[in-house]
């Protein structure tokens, strides 16, 4: 029920564009699994293009957190514990966890015209730490699903990619 929000500009034509999000595929798969991901994703992209889809956007996985961020943030604030100490993750661990998936996405995108990879990792992470919250609020409903605030922030960061997929002019 949390994935029912969709981005539908007035000119959206589902035969022209497709979004493939991988919010649930964040773990770096082992080599055999990575090959399986590449083969499956290649088949999916081929089928979409055979159906006439003109642009495909592969959305890279967002960080997955150990604890539900809303509860974590509330507990940290209540007990005076720094949020980052309990609720955040090291950027290096997040990068390692996503690495295989990102490599697979980039490889598949390089094999097809009009396939892009969009990655909003910098929305959640700085150079050293990844947080499930920012100044606007908590960005996650649970360990790996974005809140409405998180989805809006993701859209803001990837807006030019979304404009591309729907055939709209990019924002300056």
């Amino acid at each position: 029920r949390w994935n029912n929000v969709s981005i539908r500009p007035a000119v959206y034509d589902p035969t022209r564009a497709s979004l493939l999000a991988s919010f649930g595929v964040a773990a770096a798969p082992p080599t055999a699994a990575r090959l399986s991901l590449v083969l499956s994703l290649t088949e999916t992209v081929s089928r979409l293009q055979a159906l006439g889809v003109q642009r495909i956007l592969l959305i890279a996985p967002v960080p997955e957190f150990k604890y539900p961020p809303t509860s974590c943030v509330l507990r940290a604030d209540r007990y005076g514990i720094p949020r980052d100490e309990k609720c955040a993750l090291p950027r290096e661990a997040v990068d390692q966890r996503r690495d295989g998936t990102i490599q697979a996405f980039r490889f598949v995108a390089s094999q097809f015209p009009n396939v892009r990879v969009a990655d909003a990792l910098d929305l959640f992470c700085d150079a050293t730490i990844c947080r499930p919250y920012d100044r606007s609020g908590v960005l996650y409903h649970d360990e790996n699903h974005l809140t409405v605030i998180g989805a809006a922030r993701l859209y803001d960061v990837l807006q030019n990619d979304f404009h591309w997929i729907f055939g709209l002019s990019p924002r300056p």
Side-chain angles (χ1 to χ4, degrees), residues 17 22 59 62 69 134 137 139 141 158:
S22 68
I59 301 177
V62 296
D134 67 9
L139 304 175
H141 168 71
L158 300 180

Side-chain angles (χ1 to χ4, degrees), residues 133-148:
Y133 49 84
D134 67 9
R135 291 181 311 267
S136 60
V138 177
L139 304 175
Y140 284 75
H141 168 71
D142 59 19
E143 295 87 350
N144 63 350
H145 291 95
L146 299 177
T147 60
V148 172

Side-chain angles (χ1 to χ4, degrees), residues 119-132:
D119 192 352
L121 188 61
D122 291 341
L123 166 63
F124 308 98
C125 306
D126 60 26
T128 60
I129 196 164
C130 297
R131 297 173 180 89

Side-chain angles (χ1 to χ4, degrees), residues 89-111:
L89 294 172
R91 168 74 182 250
E92 183 178 350
V94 170
D95 287 339
Q96 287 174 358
R97 186 166 169 81
R98 293 172 6 115
D99 183 58
T101 302
I102 299 299
Q103 286 181 28
F105 275 30
R106 289 187 179 141
F107 176 79
V108 171
S110 74
Q111 303 303 302

